[in-house]
């Protein structure tokens, strides 16, 4: 059993409710979308085939029990759920970040699913698999990347329309770079009980990959 892996590295978790914690990242190659604001285009195709055992050995070498499976889109590769099972069986806490266009029901229930709902400005809002919102629980997270007022109104409509606050404690609004203050003002104006999700790693290292290995 092999997966095509773009990179495996140890860094500080920059997003989600786990922001600030040391974490091992397993970045899987490939994505079915090409979002306008994507910051990991280098993972679309580049990578090497690694067996699950090789991935586990690399992850274990960092002596860190928090692991995130990310991409690209991890669920494009059918072996990803097996990798997650193996990691959990080895005692790791596993996060998986997915673009929300694949069925998350195939993922181990012990894993924390971070489900990205694509905004209008991404260019792929029509690909959202809203059935996933019925498969999350209170430990899982739903993330919206927001670049403008239309994105914000779209996200708010989904949050309220799908009663997300009753399904999870973790609804994240992530501003496109430069929109942080504007988004904070909108959230406060509407008294919306979401969590602002800023990409902490970019405040440390900028848009480069320097310093994250």
């Amino acid at each position: 059993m092999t997966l095509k892996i773009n990179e495996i590295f140890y860094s500080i978790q920059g997003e989600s409710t786990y922001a600030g914690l040391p974490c091992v990242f397993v970045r899987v190659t490939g994505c079915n979308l090409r979002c306008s604001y994507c910051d990991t285009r280098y993972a679309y195709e580049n990578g090497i085939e690694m067996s699950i055992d090789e991935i586990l050995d690399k992850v274990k070498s960092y002596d860190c029990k928090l692991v995130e499976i990310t991409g690209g889109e991890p669920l494009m590769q059918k072996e990803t759920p097996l990798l997650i099972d193996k990691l959990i069986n080895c005692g790791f806490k596993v996060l998986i970040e997915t673009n929300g266009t694949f069925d998350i029901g195939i993922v181990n229930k012990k894993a924390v699913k971070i489900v990205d709902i694509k905004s209008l400005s991404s260019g792929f809002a029509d690909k959202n698999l809203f059935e996933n919102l019925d498969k999350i629980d209170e430990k899982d997270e739903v993330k919206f990347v927001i670049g403008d007022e239309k994105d914000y109104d779209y996200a708010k409509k989904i949050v309220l329309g799908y009663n997300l606050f009753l399904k999870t404690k973790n609804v994240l609004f992530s501003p496109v770079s430069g929109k942080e203050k504007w988004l904070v003002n909108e959230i406060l104006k509407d008294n919306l009980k979401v969590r602002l999700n800023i990409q902490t790693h970019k405040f440390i290292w900028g848009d480069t990959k320097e310093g994250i290995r």
Side-chain angles (χ1 to χ4, degrees), residues 10 15-16 27 31 35 38-39 48 50 56 65-66 99 102 131 148 161 173 177 179 209 211:
Y10 179 54
E15 300 181 77
S16 80
R27 189 180 303 284
C31 190
C35 295
C38 180
D39 57 3
I48 60 171
M50 296 181 68
L56 287 173
K65 286 300 185 180
L66 182 65
N99 65 22
F102 290 86
E131 290 89 343
D148 56 29
F173 276 23
S177 181
K179 295 291 186 176
K209 293 170 66 179

Side-chain angles (χ1 to χ4, degrees), residues 6-7 27 31 37-45 70-72:
N6 176 265
E7 57 184 347
R27 189 180 303 284
C31 190
Y37 44 70
C38 180
D39 57 3
T40 50
R41 290 182 171 88
Y42 60 88
Y44 288 167
E45 298 180 359
T70 186

Side-chain angles (χ1 to χ4, degrees), residues 37 145-147 174-181 198-199 202-203 207:
Y37 44 70
V145 177
I146 296 174
S174 183
V176 170
S177 181
K179 295 291 186 176
E180 292 84 5
K181 290 182 180 179
I198 294 177
Q199 294 180 302
K202 290 188 176 180
F203 282 86
D207 287 329

Side-chain angles (χ1 to χ4, degrees), residues 98-114:
T98 173
N99 65 22
T101 65
F102 290 86
D103 180 12
I104 64 170
I106 63 174
V107 177
N108 193 305
K109 291 186 181 301
K110 293 182 180 178
V112 176
K113 276 78 72 180
I114 303 170

Side-chain angles (χ1 to χ4, degrees), residues 11-15 19-22 25 198-213:
S11 187
I12 295 296
Q13 177 62 252
E15 300 181 77
L21 293 176
F25 294 84
I198 294 177
Q199 294 180 302
T200 309
H201 53 288
K202 290 188 176 180
F203 282 86
I204 300 171
W205 291 295
D207 287 329
T208 69
K209 293 170 66 179
E210 180 182 0
I212 62 173
R213 299 296 181 283

Side-chain angles (χ1 to χ4, degrees), residues 172-190:
L172 315 177
F173 276 23
S174 183
V176 170
S177 181
K179 295 291 186 176
E180 292 84 5
K181 290 182 180 179
W182 167 78
L183 182 56
V184 168
N185 287 332
E186 292 299 306
I187 291 170
L188 295 178
K189 180 182 70 176
D190 288 339

Side-chain angles (χ1 to χ4, degrees), residues 114-127:
I114 303 170
V115 182
D116 191 356
I117 299 297
K118 292 304 175 186
S119 62
L120 297 174
S121 68
S122 74
F124 292 94
D126 62 322
K127 302 296 184 183

